[in-house]
Amino acid sequence: MVHLNCLPPSFEPRVSDHMPQIIDMIKQIVDNGYAYRVESDVFFSVEKFPDYGQLSGRKLDDNRAGERVAVDSRKRNPADFALWKSAKEGEPFWESPWGPGRPGWHIECSAMSTAYLGHAFDIHGGGMDLVFPHHENEIAQSCAACKQSNISYWIHNGFVTVDSEKMSKSLGNFFTIRQVIDLYHPLALRLFLMGTHYRSPINYSDVLLESASERIFYIYQTLHDCENVLSQHDKGLQDSIPPDTLNVINKFHNDFLASVSDDLHTPVVLAALSDPLKTINDLLHTRKGKKQTMRMESVAALEKIIRNVLSVLGLMPTSYSEALQQLREMALKRAKLTEDQILQKIEERTEARKNKDYEKSDAIRKDLAVVGIALMDSPNGTSWRPAIPLPLQEQQVAAT
């Protein structure tokens, strides 16, 4: 999570440390008339809570008992759910007013969130599969314990699919973040994840991750070029910038605010990065751009707004040069090549071009492109950068 630039939680509570709060909340629900005891178990009575189904849109008649667990004939309604379960042999248990046992599946979340955030708070997260029954039951029991209980925003994320199939251990298409970031930069993975709206399912595939990796290399390379040029012109920059640059900055800023305000629509923000990045590259590398008045002022202002947005998105590396080096190293690992081997290929290709052996020159370029290494020729010589491997590029074209 640290590698992915995720902020640490303020609290990471354990259920076993909050048994008094859980038991107190169940007692409150019982006292308020929303739950009943059967032997040493306590069940929530959904019929006593008229708003049951408000989150999922389900009606009580729609709920089919027994889909996840066996139906308990002692319940007044098959949809009633356990707040406290009596102890079973071999399971951990705690003492309670109803006898030894343990909390039901849902009550721990209500009790612990109340302990740290209060009865009403802004954001509650979770996967789409938790909307019903888990979050629906959480709302019911929290409101039964305290009428002021309220969540302002429910944030439910979509599933990860692999090559359009749901990721699962049973299908054998299951892997961990650690396995992914062994081959791809963590911030390339973060960019990939943010490229789909969080509520939508996201399809994981090598081509999409390669694409994200190439994109983040381009972003950091552009900003690294900015840094290098600005370090030579850090004095004497004016406060104003040309109208054309100001228009690009204002449009990007407005697109950013509108998109993140629209249910965190990160894919639109990432797409909006294209214009300011292109403007920077034009100013740095094209003949026309180099002639622009107040060129350095424009570059500095564009770099600043992009840096600010990347910081908000958690996509800002410790340093551009370090991130670029890491991206190169991971590209080499995926290509199963060393940098010395690539430099040797570049030398062979340069020699072939000198000898007008263009067939050999093209073959070397293509061999490297197949494994995700792109060669770039310039007046200063040939350099290399990570790229989407050629077979995956062809696969992308075929798919579209």
Side-chain angles (χ1 to χ4, degrees):
M1 299 308 279
V2 171
H3 287 318
L4 286 170
N5 263 4
C6 293
L7 296 173
S10 304
F11 305 102
E12 296 186 73
R14 292 173 177 269
V15 178
S16 52
D17 294 336
H18 293 77
M19 216 48 69
Q21 293 92 329
I22 291 169
I23 290 168
D24 284 348
M25 183 171 265
I26 296 172
K27 279 158 76 175
Q28 191 64 55
I29 295 168
V30 172
D31 291 347
N32 290 347
Y34 289 93
Y36 57 94
R37 179 177 177 174
V38 178
E39 297 162 10
S40 295
D41 293 332
V42 181
F43 293 102
F44 186 93
S45 177
V46 294
E47 288 177 340
K48 293 283 180 75
F49 189 72
D51 288 335
Y52 191 77
Q54 60 180 291
L55 182 68
S56 61
R58 287 188 180 219
K59 296 189 174 86
L60 271 179
D61 295 344
D62 299 337
N63 300 334
R64 288 176 293 175
E67 286 193 343
R68 286 186 70 100
V69 290
V71 178
D72 190 330
S73 59
R74 300 173 304 156
K75 292 181 182 181
R76 295 176 186 174
N77 184 308
D80 291 350
F81 56 90
L83 297 174
W84 187 261
K85 295 184 174 187
S86 57
K88 292 184 177 62
E89 196 176 336
E91 287 186 356
F93 65 88
W94 290 263
E95 293 301 328
S96 80
W98 314 284
R102 61 179 176 82
W105 180 31
H106 318 287
I107 193 68
E108 62 204 43
C109 302
S110 293
M112 291 194 296
S113 61
T114 299
Y116 292 93
L117 304 172
H119 289 287
F121 54 93
D122 289 322
I123 297 170
H124 194 312
M128 283 289 182
D129 52 335
L130 296 183
V131 174
F132 185 89
H134 184 50
H135 288 160
E136 197 70 76
N137 291 354
E138 217 180 307
I139 290 171
Q141 66 199 8
S142 294
C143 292
C146 175
K147 286 183 179 175
Q148 284 72 46
S149 179
N150 182 60
I151 307 295
S152 302
Y153 300 97
W154 287 91
I155 304 291
H156 291 107
N157 59 278
F159 293 125
V160 179
T161 59
V162 180
D163 294 324
S164 300
E165 278 193 290
K166 186 181 171 183
M167 183 189 280
S168 70
K169 286 182 180 177
S170 59
L171 289 172
N173 61 353
F174 183 89
F175 46 85
T176 65
I177 290 171
R178 284 188 182 88
Q179 288 171 300
V180 178
I181 63 175
D182 187 46
L183 288 175
Y184 294 95
H185 196 288
L187 297 185
L189 176 58
R190 187 180 178 93
L191 182 82
F192 159 72
L193 293 169
M194 296 182 106
T196 298
H197 189 254
Y198 75 88
R199 289 188 192 270
S200 302
I202 185 166
N203 186 41
Y204 179 96
S205 67
D206 288 343
V207 66
L208 292 173
L209 207 51
E210 287 283 358
S211 184
S213 193
E214 184 182 57
R215 181 65 176 167
I216 209 151
F217 186 91
Y218 166 74
I219 292 169
Y220 294 159
Q221 184 65 64
T222 300
L223 297 174
H224 182 54
D225 292 348
C226 273
E227 212 171 46
N228 287 341
V229 171
L230 290 169
S231 66
Q232 299 160 29
H233 299 82
D234 56 350
K235 291 175 184 171
L237 292 182
Q238 297 179 44
D239 290 335
S240 57
I241 52 173
D244 286 356
T245 305
L246 189 60
N247 288 340
V248 171
I249 288 171
N250 286 341
K251 184 180 184 303
F252 178 51
H253 181 69
N254 293 338
D255 286 348
F256 168 70
L257 284 181
S259 302
V260 291
S261 302
D262 180 18
D263 197 16
L264 303 174
H265 215 311
T266 50
V268 178
V269 181
L270 297 178
L273 276 167
S274 296
D275 277 354
L277 288 167
K278 183 182 182 302
T279 305
I280 288 174
N281 278 308
D282 287 347
L283 289 165
L284 292 181
H285 304 300
T286 68
R287 201 172 293 173
K288 184 182 174 185
K290 288 176 182 178
K291 291 177 182 174
Q292 293 286 329
T293 55
M294 303 174 76
R295 173 173 165 254
M296 286 300 108
E297 285 80 359
S298 291
V299 169
L302 287 160
E303 191 273 340
K304 183 182 177 184
I305 182 104
I306 293 171
R307 180 166 22 97
N308 289 345
V309 167
L310 291 180
S311 297
V312 173
L313 298 177
L315 289 168
M316 195 61 192
T318 313
S319 86
Y320 299 135
S321 57
E322 185 186 359
L324 289 167
Q325 184 55 30
Q326 290 165 346
L327 284 158
R328 284 191 190 93
E329 286 167 2
M330 288 182 155
L332 290 171
K333 190 173 183 179
R334 295 194 299 275
K336 296 182 172 61
L337 290 170
T338 64
E339 183 145 31
D340 285 344
Q341 287 172 317
I342 291 177
L343 296 176
Q344 188 182 334
K345 290 284 184 188
I346 288 173
E347 277 182 37
E348 288 175 23
R349 181 172 170 271
T350 303
E351 194 62 34
R353 291 173 80 198
K354 275 183 191 171
N355 297 332
K356 294 188 168 38
D357 188 351
Y358 298 118
E359 193 175 328
K360 183 179 180 181
S361 163
D362 290 347
I364 291 170
R365 178 193 281 275
K366 187 175 179 182
D367 287 347
L368 289 173
V370 164
V371 292
I373 305 295
L375 299 183
M376 297 167 296
D377 298 317
S378 75
N380 301 322
T382 302
S383 58
W384 72 273
R385 65 169 176 81
I388 303 171
L390 199 56
L392 292 179
Q393 285 184 43
E394 289 164 355
Q395 183 184 315
Q396 237 178 352
V397 171
T400 53

